[in-house]
């Protein structure tokens, strides 16, 4: 199993490569969309590169559970409901949601993920994979 | 008329690698104005030819059942110009394939000289595009035939590449 530092370095390389940003810009707290300028198509590239780098499988909707956005139980008047936030916490255990939950506007959802979240996402995937392999 | 930016395949290994050639000719109209008195093939058209090489490779992997589009060119570097009389050899290799698309690494060579290298990301369009046609049915198989992919192509098991039973639009 890779250490957190090793995961961070590799995630950084992926983001530098996919987003054509400088290594110094890729800080743990940087948001992918707002700070690093990721566009929707870049997430496809990032997912492909993470899969290859870490030898993991990332099904659609795992990094960004977009289906939640179209569910009226989870989103009302452009805001996530309590049930929606609970679902986000369940589906995105890797993401830091506390600050977002204070004013959970759908328009801010796309800019939620940080470099740190991406590292945690990879870490959880690797743990899952290891769990499956030893089960 | 179709938008052909390669002339023929010289190798086609299903799901892995394809190699195609492009003859740059002064008979092609775009060279008359790009640039007047100094004909150079635009780099964007080299990318298009490489994308056709790689895109057909990615499409064939799923027997043209999925709609493949060029989504992103993360990197492209050009080392020298392509001019009339050059024969460019495009080599596209699948780096990673995923249910939602693929990453292709590719080069363009003039003889032994590296002319360009690039990375391309292709996306498979999702179900929301099921009701839209990108091409008329059979177009891509027809393109593969014209480009002689079935003459030189090999399936994953090394047997001769066969045309798919049917192609979605």
């Amino acid at each position: 199993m890779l250490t957190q530092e090793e995961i961070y370095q590799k995630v950084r390389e992926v983001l530098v490569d996919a987003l054509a940003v400088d290594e110094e810009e890729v800080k743990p707290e940087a948001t992918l969309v707002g700070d690093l300028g990721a566009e929707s198509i870049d997430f496809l590239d990032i997912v492909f590169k993470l899969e290859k780098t870490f030898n993991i499988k990332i099904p659609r909707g795992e990094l960004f559970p977009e289906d939640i956005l179209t569910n009226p139980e989870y989103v009302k008047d452009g805001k996530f409901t309590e049930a929606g936030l609970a679902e986000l916490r369940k589906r995105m255990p890797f993401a830091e949601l506390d600050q977002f939950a204070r004013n959970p506007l759908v328009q801010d959802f796309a800019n939620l993920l940080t470099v740190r979240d991406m590292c945690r996402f990879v870490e959880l995937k690797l743990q899952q994979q290891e769990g499956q392999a030893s089960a | 008329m179709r938008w052909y930016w390669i002339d023929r395949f010289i190798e086609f290994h299903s799901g892995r690698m394809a190699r195609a050639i492009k003859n740059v000719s002064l008979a092609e109209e775009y060279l008359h104005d790009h640039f007047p008195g100094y004909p150079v093939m635009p780099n964007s058209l080299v990318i298009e030819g490489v994308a056709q090489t790689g895109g057909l490779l990615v499409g064939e992997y799923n027997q043209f059942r999925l709609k493949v589009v060029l989504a992103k060119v993360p990197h492209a570097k050009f080392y020298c110009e392509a001019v009339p009389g050059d024969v460019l050899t495009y080599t596209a290799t699948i780096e990673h394939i995923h249910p939602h698309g693929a990453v292709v690494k590719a080069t363009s060579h003039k003889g032994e000289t590296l002319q360009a290298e690039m990375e391309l990301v292709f996306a498979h369009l999702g179900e929301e595009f099921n009701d839209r046609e990108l091409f008329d049915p059979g177009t891509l198989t027809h393109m593969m035939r014209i480009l002689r992919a079935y003459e030189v192509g090999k399936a994953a098991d090394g047997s001769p590449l066969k045309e798919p039973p049917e192609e979605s639009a």
Side-chain angles (χ1 to χ4, degrees):
Chain A
M1 179 85 182
L2 296 168
T3 64
Q4 285 183 342
E5 182 56 27
E6 284 167 335
I7 292 174
Y8 174 57
Q9 287 308 333
K10 281 173 186 276
V11 166
R12 219 173 169 193
E13 281 168 29
V14 163
L15 296 175
V16 165
D17 191 29
L19 303 174
V21 287
D22 290 335
E23 209 168 290
E24 303 79 68
E25 291 177 74
V26 189
K27 297 176 191 134
E29 64 280 8
T31 58
L32 268 64
V33 173
D35 295 329
L36 303 181
E39 294 179 20
S40 60
I41 210 75
D42 292 319
F43 282 93
L44 195 66
D45 189 16
I46 291 168
V47 162
F48 293 167
K49 288 188 164 95
L50 289 177
E51 284 200 343
K52 191 168 162 59
T53 304
F54 294 99
N55 197 20
I56 51 177
K57 292 262 172 265
I58 308 173
R60 177 171 273 183
E62 209 171 89
L63 193 58
F64 256 119
E66 294 151 327
D67 54 296
I68 295 179
L69 298 176
T70 51
N71 186 328
E73 192 195 333
Y74 297 146
V75 171
K76 260 187 202 135
D77 305 325
K79 263 189 164 186
F80 284 90
T81 60
E82 278 307 313
L85 281 172
E87 187 67 12
L88 278 185
R89 287 187 202 283
K90 197 168 108 193
R91 302 266 298 273
M92 300 175 82
F94 51 88
E96 172 54 57
L97 292 166
D98 289 350
Q99 202 185 333
F100 175 73
R102 283 183 211 138
N103 190 19
L105 296 171
V106 170
Q107 65 190 50
D108 295 338
F109 178 64
N111 194 28
L112 188 65
L113 287 182
T114 61
V115 174
R116 189 183 287 119
D117 294 336
M118 298 299 285
C119 294
R120 249 188 250 133
F121 174 77
V122 169
E123 207 180 320
L124 283 175
K125 289 296 291 184
L126 290 171
Q127 280 169 6
Q128 268 173 22
Q129 204 158 284
E130 207 163 78
Q132 279 165 6
S134 59
Chain B
M1 191 190 134
R2 289 226 51 84
W3 177 250
Y4 286 109
W5 287 100
I6 46 179
D7 294 322
R8 70 181 164 101
F9 281 104
I10 51 173
E11 283 183 63
F12 196 105
H13 302 276
S14 181
R16 202 161 59 79
M17 184 274 263
R19 190 166 277 151
I21 57 171
K22 160 70 189 158
N23 293 288
V24 185
S25 166
L26 202 48
E28 294 173 320
E29 266 187 46
Y30 68 94
L31 287 169
H32 303 171
D33 301 313
H34 189 279
F35 299 93
Y38 189 77
V40 183
M41 182 168 179
N43 292 342
S44 53
L45 291 179
V46 173
I47 294 180
E48 175 61 29
V50 172
Q52 291 188 359
T53 309
L56 286 168
L57 180 68
V58 172
E60 194 280 332
Y61 179 75
N62 290 299
Q63 302 218 304
F64 300 109
R65 281 193 294 263
L66 301 175
K67 295 182 172 79
V68 178
V69 293
L70 177 63
K72 182 178 167 183
V73 183
H75 309 283
K77 270 191 187 167
F78 289 82
Y79 299 102
C80 57
E81 290 168 347
V83 297
D86 284 341
V87 179
L88 300 179
T89 304
Y90 300 150
T91 306
T93 307
I94 293 182
E95 276 276 299
H96 186 64
I97 200 140
H98 181 279
H100 305 312
V103 178
V104 166
K105 288 242 165 108
T107 56
S108 164
H109 279 82
K110 287 203 309 190
E112 298 289 308
T113 308
L114 181 65
Q115 192 256 333
E117 57 187 339
M118 62 196 79
E119 185 184 40
L120 307 173
V121 175
F122 291 94
H124 295 144
L125 295 184
E127 287 168 1
E128 61 273 29
F129 293 92
N130 276 357
D131 58 341
R132 289 185 225 176
E133 289 190 359
L134 292 183
F135 302 106
D136 292 331
T139 298
L140 297 174
T141 312
H142 178 69
M143 204 167 166
M144 289 280 283
R145 224 178 284 137
I146 285 187
L147 296 168
R148 300 199 232 165
Y150 298 113
E151 290 176 32
V152 297
K154 299 263 186 261
D157 62 3
S159 63
L161 190 70
K162 289 197 182 99
E163 292 190 21
E166 59 182 50
E167 176 194 322
S168 70

